[in-house]
């Protein structure tokens, strides 16, 4: 098989996988549910459906294929920057059948285009070619996968009878209960970001060296049981644990527990419309950055920086290089991490030993997004491409970085370098966290002297 054929097959498979998930998420509810706005934070599902198709048309049919716009009159409706989520329900959107028909029309033409496009070709510097390494196709597959995650979050916010179901993740392995609470990540430089990952987006680039002092990181994400101890200890009522902004937000928003938790003789949470006792050994979910930060301070620790998180996830002391994933360079498979909406919840803390990083930390990829202490900033040498609104307009102190993906994230949109960002008040995303502490001086991880 030529490189071109292999790439064409991979692209088609990723686009089809994303569409299968989109279809599952949008056929699980009735038409009234599709056009309803379930939260001012989210679009009606029918907007996502046509927006996915509209972006696919823009980047693949128009930019790569040189086609004219299929329906120019609808383009402004599906431009995420023209219409914030809150106003989308008021727009003259395509109905469910029209949106599906539009998606089908675009996809048919895209599959034809894949067969006609020279996808391999000579490597081009990032920012020069939409077709080198099939970048635009990978970007569009990731875009649909990201909306599948957003639509899953809409399902979690939706009020009504349960519409989604999935098997539970595998039980925790036998050693989960005896894992050390934290692992040491040796100090020293490592390569952060990437210049070689073909479908990495602009904010993940370029690769650059970063010095990280030795630190300890929680072996697993913070569990619901540990978080419940913070609540029981009065963590929400003690301003010592909160930043000034965090305390103000906690007061204004009346935060007392993670989103979707309620007290009923014990903590209960709603999981896609089904109430259940909070599972003590699962990573805590649906906490905002302020809550994660306050918990860490209460625990005498802190959130890891983004660079610390990435070093823990990617750095291999044996080779001195950064891997694509904690487990190595090979692609994801189900035994390695909880991704792809196969399970609609995080796996118990300590799961996925095969996916562990060289430092021993588990579940860095999958299960829950992990808040870091870092603001969303460009890497040195950053170039916005192919459009500024993907990342550049979000750089700054108002957004915090999340890493590692969650059970709702597709493997096509998740890797050791992938960066997500959100406001520190947001809780509807599938986010948890783990904590860190600086190691004492002397644990700098210098290579042992050789004879
Ligand atoms: Fe989008």
């Amino acid at each position: 098989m030529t490189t071109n054929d292999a790439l064409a097959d991979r692209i088609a498979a990723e686009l089809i996988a994303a569409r299968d998930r989109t279809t599952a998420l949008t056929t699980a509810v009735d038409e009234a549910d599709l056009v309803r706005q379930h939260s001012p934070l989210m679009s009606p599902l029918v907007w996502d459906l046509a927006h996915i198709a509209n972006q696919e048309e823009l980047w693949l049919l128009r930019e790569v294929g040189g086609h004219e716009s299929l329906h120019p009159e609808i383009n402004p409706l599906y431009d995420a920057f023209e219409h914030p989520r809150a106003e989308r329900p008021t727009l003259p959107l395509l109905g469910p059948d029209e949106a599906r028909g539009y998606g089908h029309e675009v996809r048919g033409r895209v599959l034809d285009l894949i067969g006609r496009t020279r996808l391999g070709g000579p490597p081009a510097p990032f920012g020069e070619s939409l077709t080198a390494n099939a970048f635009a196709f990978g970007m569009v597959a990731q875009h649909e996968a990201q909306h599948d995650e957003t639509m899953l979050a809409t399902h979690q916010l939706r009020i009504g009878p349960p519409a989604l179901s999935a098997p539970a993740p595998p039980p925790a392995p036998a050693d989960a209960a005896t894992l050390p609470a934290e692992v040491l990540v040796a100090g020293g430089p490592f390569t952060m970001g990437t210049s070689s990952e073909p479908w990495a987006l602009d904010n993940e680039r370029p690769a650059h060296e970063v010095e990280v002092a030795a630190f300890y990181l929680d072996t697993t994400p913070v569990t619901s049981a540990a978080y419940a101890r913070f609540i029981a200890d009065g963590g929400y009522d003690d301003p010592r644990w909160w930043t000034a902004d965090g305390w103000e937000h906690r007061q204004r928003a009346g935060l007392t527990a993670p989103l979707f938790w309620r007290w009923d003789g014990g903590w209960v949470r709603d999981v896609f419309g089904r109430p259940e006792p909070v599972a003590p050994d699962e990573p805590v979910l649906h906490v905002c950055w302020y809550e994660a930060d306050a918990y860490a301070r209460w625990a005498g620790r802190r959130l890891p920086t983004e660079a610390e998180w990435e070093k823990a996830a990617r750095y291999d002391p044996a080779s001195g290089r950064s891997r694509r994933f904690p487990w190595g360079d090979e692609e994801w498979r189900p035994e390695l991490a909880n991704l792809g909406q196969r399970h609609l919840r995080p796996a118990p803390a300590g799961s996925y030993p095969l996916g562990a990083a060289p430092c021993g930390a588990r579940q860095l990829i999958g299960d829950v997004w992990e808040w870091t202490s870092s603001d969303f900033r460009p890497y040195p040498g950053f170039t916005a491409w192919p459009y500024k609104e993907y990342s550049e307009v979000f750089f700054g102190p108002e957004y915090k970085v999340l890493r590692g993906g969650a059970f709702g994230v597709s493997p096509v949109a998740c890797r050791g370098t992938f960066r997500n960002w959100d406001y520190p008040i947001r809780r509807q995303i599938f986010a948890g966290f783990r904590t860190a502490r600086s190691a004492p001086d002397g644990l700098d991880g210098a290579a042992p002297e050789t004879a």
Side-chain angles (χ1 to χ4, degrees):
M1 188 181 278
T2 64
T3 306
N4 201 72
D5 287 344
L7 255 180
D9 287 353
R10 162 111 203 268
I11 294 161
E14 295 292 3
L15 288 172
I16 289 165
R19 186 56 47 88
D20 285 350
R21 196 61 211 157
T22 302
T23 302
L25 290 163
T26 53
T27 53
V29 292
D30 63 21
E31 307 258 309
D33 255 346
L34 285 178
V35 301
R36 183 176 303 141
Q37 186 172 39
H38 297 277
S39 156
L41 294 176
M42 312 307 280
S43 312
L45 292 167
V46 76
W47 185 90
D48 290 277
L49 206 49
H51 166 78
I52 288 166
N54 194 244
Q55 288 286 299
E56 184 167 326
E57 184 201 337
L58 167 65
W59 290 105
L60 300 184
L61 298 185
R62 285 148 62 191
E63 294 291 334
V64 172
H67 293 256
E68 292 292 309
S69 185
L70 293 172
H71 308 287
E73 70 286 358
I74 67 169
N75 294 339
L77 300 175
Y78 297 104
D79 182 331
F81 290 88
E82 270 192 49
H83 301 289
R85 285 172 176 173
E87 71 179 51
R88 289 173 194 166
T90 66
L91 302 172
L93 301 176
L94 299 184
D97 284 344
E98 293 169 304
R100 288 192 186 103
Y102 175 45
H104 194 69
E105 177 188 20
V106 171
R107 179 54 60 85
R109 291 171 189 243
V110 165
L111 293 175
D112 286 346
L113 177 71
I114 293 171
R116 286 187 280 109
T117 306
R118 188 158 176 268
L119 298 163
F126 184 72
E128 289 189 9
S129 165
L130 282 172
T131 53
N133 286 318
F135 176 80
F137 294 87
M139 180 180 79
V140 165
Q142 290 180 77
H143 179 257
E144 180 159 354
Q146 287 165 342
H147 277 273
D148 291 343
E149 180 191 355
T150 315
M151 289 193 285
L152 188 67
T154 302
H155 271 273
Q156 172 63 33
L157 288 160
R158 171 182 161 271
I159 305 294
L164 299 176
S165 60
D175 70 350
T178 54
L179 290 172
E182 59 182 6
V183 295
L184 174 66
V185 180
F190 89 107
T191 301
M192 186 171 184
T194 178
S195 299
S196 57
E197 186 68 41
W199 291 354
L201 300 160
D202 61 1
N203 63 59
E204 299 167 68
R205 300 169 182 267
H208 59 289
E209 195 172 277
V210 176
E211 185 74 30
V212 176
F215 69 101
Y216 290 95
L217 183 68
D218 289 344
T219 307
T220 71
V222 169
T223 63
S224 291
Y227 198 84
R229 286 195 289 275
F230 166 65
I231 303 174
D233 195 41
Y236 278 89
D237 301 317
D238 193 336
R240 276 184 302 165
W241 313 133
W242 301 73
T243 61
D245 287 351
W247 183 248
E248 195 208 348
H249 176 68
R250 174 258 169 270
Q251 303 284 80
R252 189 169 4 99
L255 303 185
T256 54
L259 185 60
F260 307 117
W261 283 32
R262 66 176 189 279
W263 183 260
D264 187 12
W267 287 113
V268 175
R269 79 173 181 117
D270 284 312
V271 183
F272 298 101
R274 294 181 185 86
E276 58 169 52
V278 165
D281 59 346
E282 274 183 18
V284 68
L285 192 56
H286 298 298
V287 287
C288 70
W289 186 89
Y290 289 130
E291 291 169 298
D293 175 70
Y295 172 97
R297 203 166 291 110
W298 167 81
R301 298 169 69 84
R302 58 176 174 78
L303 294 179
T305 67
E306 183 182 15
E308 286 174 336
W309 189 97
E310 186 168 323
K311 186 173 185 186
R314 296 184 62 210
Y315 182 68
D316 176 14
S319 66
R321 51 177 287 279
S322 292
R323 302 160 153 199
R324 297 177 67 211
F325 301 99
W327 55 82
D329 290 339
E330 69 271 28
E331 295 289 333
W332 170 86
R333 38 178 225 282
E335 299 76 30
L336 297 171
N338 183 7
L339 290 173
Q341 303 188 16
R342 297 164 50 84
H343 314 295
L344 294 177
R345 60 190 313 134
S351 294
Y352 298 101
L354 295 177
C359 65
R362 294 191 185 175
Q363 296 168 291
L364 283 158
I365 295 286
D367 289 303
V368 294
W369 284 107
E370 297 181 20
W371 287 110
T372 73
S373 63
S374 300
D375 297 339
F376 187 45
R377 303 271 185 196
Y379 291 158
F382 168 82
T383 308
W385 198 74
Y387 60 111
K388 276 200 174 99
E389 290 79 8
Y390 183 72
S391 338
E392 191 176 23
V393 299
F394 299 101
F395 288 141
E398 60 269 42
Y399 291 99
K400 298 295 184 189
V401 172
L402 301 108
R403 286 303 205 98
F407 62 85
V409 174
S410 163
V412 76
C414 195
R415 52 196 159 260
T417 55
F418 193 90
R419 309 173 75 194
N420 189 8
W421 63 92
D422 214 328
Y423 291 117
I425 63 169
R426 287 288 187 252
R427 310 207 291 173
Q428 86 283 2
I429 47 176
F430 300 108
F433 63 101
R434 70 180 81 206
T435 70
R437 68 181 171 105
S438 300
D441 286 347
L443 289 171
D444 62 357
E449 289 193 9
T450 48

